[in-house]
Amino acid sequence: MEENKRVVFSTDTKVWINRIIEILELHKKYYPEKYGNIDTNKTKSYVSKDKVIVAYQEENWENAICEFPTIWLSEKDDEIAKIIKNKKS
């Protein structure tokens, strides 16, 4: 069990963090009025089987900045952009 935890925290976490930031950048691009001021250096993320929740470090999870399906971590940017644009319409 300990070995599995080390693998998740060393390799996958960096990839997830970078991908979450990329998805936040897509939100900022298509929803600048709502997400334009997000400072990704001050955020924390919770990844579950179903969704990713992003909040500021000093806030609790109920005050999330952004939520999106976990499957987006493996989706291409253009697919995510289509979904974000459709939500805006």
Side-chain angles (χ1 to χ4, degrees), residues 21-87:
I21 291 171
E22 290 169 357
I23 293 170
L24 286 174
E25 292 298 328
L26 285 172
H27 277 85
K28 289 167 76 171
K29 179 178 178 180
Y30 294 107
Y31 266 119
E33 64 279 0
K34 185 173 181 179
Y35 300 105
N37 294 326
I38 293 176
D39 182 354
T40 55
N41 291 320
K42 296 180 180 179
T43 60
K44 60 183 178 181
S45 302
Y46 172 78
V47 179
S48 73
K49 182 179 175 183
D50 299 321
K51 66 183 173 180
V52 175
I53 302 171
V54 181
Y56 281 113
Q57 292 173 357
E58 66 274 358
E59 297 289 330
N60 58 32
W61 297 114
E62 289 78 30
N63 295 327
I65 301 167
C66 185
E67 292 184 31
F68 55 87
T70 304
I71 191 73
W72 283 15
L73 296 173
S74 61
E75 296 287 332
K76 294 182 179 179
D77 284 358
D78 57 341
E79 294 298 318
I80 297 169
K82 286 179 196 175
I83 295 167
I84 293 171
K85 285 185 213 176
N86 287 337
K87 279 186 182 179

